[in-house]
Amino acid sequence: MSTTSTVVADKTLSTPSSVGHPQPAIVYSHVGKRFGRTVVLEDIDLSVDTAETICLLGPSGSGKSTLLRCTNLLEVPDRGQISIHGQVITDKGADVDGIRTRVGMVFQRFNLFPHCSVLENVTMALRAVHNKRREEAVAIARSKLELVGLDHLRDRRPAQLSGGQQQRVAIARALAMNPEVMLFDEATSALDPELVGEVLDVMRDLAKQGMTMVVVTHQMRFAKEVASRVVFLDHGHLLEIAPPEEFFENPRSERLQLFLKRVL
């Protein structure tokens, strides 16, 4: 993927070339969000290509998770618009439920139903939202569980799984809905260190398979190895975007330089 670089005011922006991608997967246009008097997102402009993996980095409270939540309308922007494959999802009257089936999201916490088996956790939305027959839902669920390496544990309850396994079930559940985009909100932050790798491996495989992903993470190695571009947010402002090598080796803004010095 080729990139072009642009300097806007005091921001360094690197945006993907349109060659080969006539319609981006996600476009954020002047997106803003406040909670009371607190500015959480301010004038966010970002375009995400199909099959691209974007990693969002920044300090706590920088707006990363809010930007993800706006992408599937768990939060509604106060201004600006967001489109997915050309459909403006922030328009009044947009089909919110339909949009959420197109955008899979994996949270810090696994949010599995403890009284249901692994298989039931994955098939539940397929049957309730997509009205799949049980046999078809089971076939889809098992294929996604196999993808994340857990089909052999399909009859277990969440409490019988490790944290890493539970998060992989959550990923399988999101993938079963056949989303166009996957969002990951610090998907490994609640895991013990030795379990982080198994979840990141699944995310790496998804990136290799061409899934469009926007990932909030503190895993710098993952961002270096997997991201198409890395985005730095601070106090709701998008300060810098660049391919990983440029982002980590030649940060242009003083704020990013300070951030990387503290976290690396």
Side-chain angles (χ1 to χ4, degrees):
M1 180 192 68
S2 63
T3 61
T4 57
S5 296
T6 309
V7 176
V8 180
D10 61 348
K11 294 193 248 183
T12 302
L13 302 182
S14 176
T15 55
S17 167
S18 61
V19 176
H21 295 286
Q23 180 175 279
I26 312 171
V27 177
Y28 304 90
S29 300
H30 304 293
V31 173
K33 179 67 178 177
R34 292 174 179 260
F35 294 120
R37 295 183 178 181
T38 303
V39 176
V40 183
L41 297 172
E42 181 67 27
D43 200 31
I44 300 296
D45 281 311
L46 176 64
S47 178
V48 181
D49 274 347
T50 299
E52 187 175 21
T53 296
I54 293 286
C55 283
L56 303 180
L57 303 185
S60 297
S62 60
K64 307 181 300 295
S65 294
T66 300
L67 186 61
L68 283 196
R69 292 172 68 86
C70 286
T71 311
N72 69 351
L73 300 181
L74 288 175
E75 300 287 352
V76 179
D78 299 323
R79 59 189 180 280
Q81 67 179 31
I82 302 172
S83 63
I84 297 178
H85 290 298
Q87 178 190 359
V88 180
I89 67 171
T90 46
D91 278 351
K92 290 184 178 180
D95 179 6
V96 176
D97 290 337
I99 289 163
R100 287 177 182 159
T101 65
R102 300 170 62 193
V103 182
M105 189 161 183
V106 179
F107 300 88
Q108 298 177 35
R109 297 294 175 181
F110 324 124
N111 299 322
L112 302 178
F113 293 104
H115 60 286
C116 295
S117 70
V118 165
L119 185 64
E120 289 167 339
N121 267 280
V122 181
T123 59
M124 193 174 298
L126 284 168
R127 301 188 68 186
V129 178
H130 284 322
N131 298 314
K132 299 290 187 184
R133 291 180 294 105
R134 184 182 184 282
E135 295 78 9
E136 185 179 3
V138 167
I140 294 170
R142 290 194 61 181
S143 71
K144 301 309 178 185
L145 286 169
E146 184 175 357
L147 186 68
V148 300
L150 291 177
D151 184 50
H152 64 294
L153 300 180
R154 62 186 177 275
D155 294 324
R156 293 194 182 182
R157 299 288 178 88
Q160 297 174 293
L161 306 179
S162 70
Q165 289 170 334
Q166 290 185 61
Q167 192 62 293
R168 286 152 63 193
V169 173
I171 294 173
R173 179 179 58 188
L175 291 173
M177 302 299 284
N178 195 30
E180 300 169 17
V181 172
M182 283 287 289
L183 311 176
F184 292 87
D185 189 7
E186 298 188 20
T188 61
S189 65
L191 301 178
D192 292 334
E194 66 268 23
L195 302 178
V196 168
E198 65 187 67
V199 175
L200 294 181
D201 284 345
V202 171
M203 295 168 65
R204 285 188 181 93
D205 288 342
L206 290 176
K208 291 176 183 177
Q209 293 165 21
M211 174 62 73
T212 304
M213 302 196 298
V214 183
V215 181
V216 172
T217 184
H218 294 296
Q219 300 293 328
M220 300 297 157
R221 182 177 177 182
F222 175 85
K224 288 180 181 180
E225 294 176 354
V226 180
S228 310
R229 291 177 296 153
V230 186
V231 175
F232 180 64
L233 294 174
D234 186 51
H235 290 96
H237 293 269
L238 195 162
L239 295 187
E240 196 158 341
I241 316 174
E245 182 176 353
E246 179 182 343
F247 184 93
F248 288 102
E249 300 300 329
N250 188 31
R252 299 192 184 186
S253 67
E254 291 184 7
R255 181 66 186 93
L256 177 56
Q257 293 170 17
L258 178 60
F259 175 79
L260 293 176
K261 183 178 181 181
R262 288 175 174 173
V263 301
L264 293 179

